[in-house]
Amino acid sequence: MHIDLDSLSNFLRRQFTGVDDIKHIADGWWSQVFSFKTNEGARVIRISKHLTDFRKDVFAYTHFNSTQIPIPEVITTGKYDEEFFYCVSRYVEGIPSDQIIDTQETKPDLLLAQTTVEQLLTIHQIDTSNLSGWGYTDENGNGIFRSWEEYLLAIHNGKYTIAWKELAKTTWLNGELFTRLTERMQTYFPYLPKDKHVLHGDYGFDNLLLTPDHQVAAVIDWAEMMLGDPMYDLIHMNEPWSEYLPVNYLDIWKEQMKNNPRALLHFEERLQCYTIHYTLFHLHIHTVRGEREDYEYIEQWAKGNL
């Protein structure tokens, strides 16, 4: 997707007073992000085809925002044009954690890594007693699957709902590999915990904003929020096929959990289960997005390691 700065400027000036200093600040898989200034203060606008993602941000701010979990206030959401929707949030001064990590190269800051994991643990402690379902949530915070296992088997993403079996018939997706790995993943289901926790789903990196002294400024972008096993959030942070991991967040999480043996129960089996699922999920997404080089890299890794 590409949003023209002139059309964006015209749109913003119809919505706000004193609009100035419009800057493109990020591109995601599903959205583009810009900052701008108004008479009321600095703002961020995100533009995407997926309104539910923005409504999940509204839910997160309304129900989770606190001094322990700082989440930017959502000012307004709505239709940008016939194809896209927008979300305007209050601008929070902060540095994406991946930018800080990239500057540290081979000497990552252990205290920063611990701060990152501690913030995630706080998210996992959110009360879920009033939330139903599992897996990806809707705009009211309820999971859209009946069980965690059902979510894992679905290889689901709300942006692209086409099933992997259909993709295997019409694209390069390797149906034989998917079948083998799905069957292996299911062998680990008896080891999965039954406790339900809020997962960010896309935590860390550019969705964790830090102050110059490496304190948490904000946790942003709750579009991938899920209900499930906290350990799954760590797989995203430790991508299994990554050639270089400056920080092993799983090891830090295990150290943080050493006095909570229940959280580490069946650690290896859960790790294998979620590694398989995370791999299948990315093979599915790269196929739908037409990213064959990314797909083939992960497929080769999967054949040799799973």
Side-chain angles (χ1 to χ4, degrees), residues 11-288:
F11 174 82
L12 291 174
R13 286 183 166 85
R14 292 194 299 268
Q15 304 289 326
F16 302 94
T17 58
V19 171
D20 189 22
D21 198 23
I22 303 170
K23 296 179 181 177
H24 173 260
I25 57 175
D27 287 322
W29 268 8
W30 320 112
S31 65
Q32 280 191 280
V33 188
F34 303 83
S35 63
F36 63 102
K37 294 178 180 177
T38 73
N39 289 344
E40 290 74 35
R43 301 287 185 261
V44 170
I45 183 169
R46 286 172 293 149
I47 301 171
S48 167
K49 292 182 178 180
H50 308 287
L51 180 59
T52 297
D53 290 357
F54 298 151
R55 288 178 172 166
K56 289 172 76 169
D57 279 323
V58 173
F59 179 88
Y61 172 75
T62 303
H63 293 85
F64 304 155
N65 177 54
S66 66
T67 55
Q68 290 74 39
I69 307 175
I71 300 172
E73 178 186 2
V74 177
I75 306 296
T76 182
T77 65
K79 217 167 173 44
Y80 180 77
D81 58 20
E82 292 305 310
E83 185 177 9
F84 296 110
F85 298 92
Y86 73 90
C87 176
V88 173
S89 304
R90 195 175 301 278
Y91 180 85
V92 174
E93 192 72 44
I95 310 165
S97 63
D98 58 346
Q99 291 184 17
I100 298 175
I101 292 169
D102 287 346
T103 64
Q104 296 174 347
E105 298 180 344
T106 59
K107 296 181 180 179
D109 184 339
L110 183 58
L111 288 177
L112 169 59
Q114 290 172 338
T115 297
T116 301
V117 173
E118 287 167 2
Q119 179 64 79
L120 186 60
L121 295 180
T122 303
I123 293 170
H124 293 161
Q125 292 165 10
I126 293 172
D127 181 18
T128 61
S129 59
N130 292 322
L131 300 176
S132 63
W134 295 81
Y136 282 118
T137 66
D138 59 21
E139 61 193 58
N140 297 310
N142 296 312
I144 63 176
F145 294 91
R146 291 171 296 181
S147 69
W148 182 233
E149 291 81 1
E150 183 181 287
Y151 158 71
L152 293 173
L153 284 173
I155 318 294
H156 174 88
N157 184 282
K159 285 83 169 177
Y160 296 112
T161 55
I162 183 170
W164 69 262
K165 291 182 180 179
E166 187 62 31
L167 287 175
K169 296 176 184 177
T170 58
T171 70
W172 60 67
L173 186 138
N174 187 332
E176 182 180 344
L177 177 66
F178 256 69
T179 298
R180 176 175 69 81
L181 291 182
T182 299
E183 290 175 350
R184 185 174 172 212
M185 179 175 68
Q186 288 180 271
T187 67
Y188 296 111
F189 283 2
Y191 300 100
L192 303 185
K194 302 302 180 185
D195 300 332
K196 179 163 57 183
H197 298 260
V198 170
L199 314 186
H200 182 277
D202 193 15
Y203 180 76
F205 310 116
D206 57 347
N207 288 330
L208 179 66
L209 302 184
L210 301 170
T211 63
D213 60 349
H214 298 178
Q215 300 304 303
V216 175
V219 182
I220 64 175
D221 192 356
W222 293 75
E224 309 302 318
M225 185 174 73
M226 291 186 271
L227 299 175
D229 181 355
M231 188 173 164
Y232 193 88
D233 261 340
L234 278 299
I235 301 297
H236 162 73
M237 299 173 69
N238 272 48
E239 287 199 328
W241 51 81
S242 177
E243 294 180 355
Y244 171 63
L245 285 173
V247 178
N248 190 318
Y249 290 102
L250 269 168
D251 284 349
I252 294 173
W253 181 74
K254 285 175 69 177
E255 178 65 21
Q256 296 273 11
M257 293 290 102
K258 65 182 179 182
N259 294 322
N260 184 3
R262 181 182 177 87
L264 297 177
L265 191 64
H266 304 306
F267 177 89
E268 291 299 331
E269 291 87 354
R270 290 155 65 198
L271 177 60
Q272 287 299 310
C273 181
Y274 300 148
T275 297
I276 292 170
H277 181 269
Y278 192 78
T279 301
L280 293 174
F281 174 83
H282 277 78
L283 291 174
H284 178 274
I285 286 293
H286 288 311
T287 299
V288 176

Side-chain angles (χ1 to χ4, degrees), residues 1-18:
M1 61 178 291
H2 175 72
I3 301 300
D4 179 79
L5 275 176
D6 288 336
S7 63
L8 175 62
S9 176
N10 291 334
F11 174 82
L12 291 174
R13 286 183 166 85
R14 292 194 299 268
Q15 304 289 326
F16 302 94
T17 58

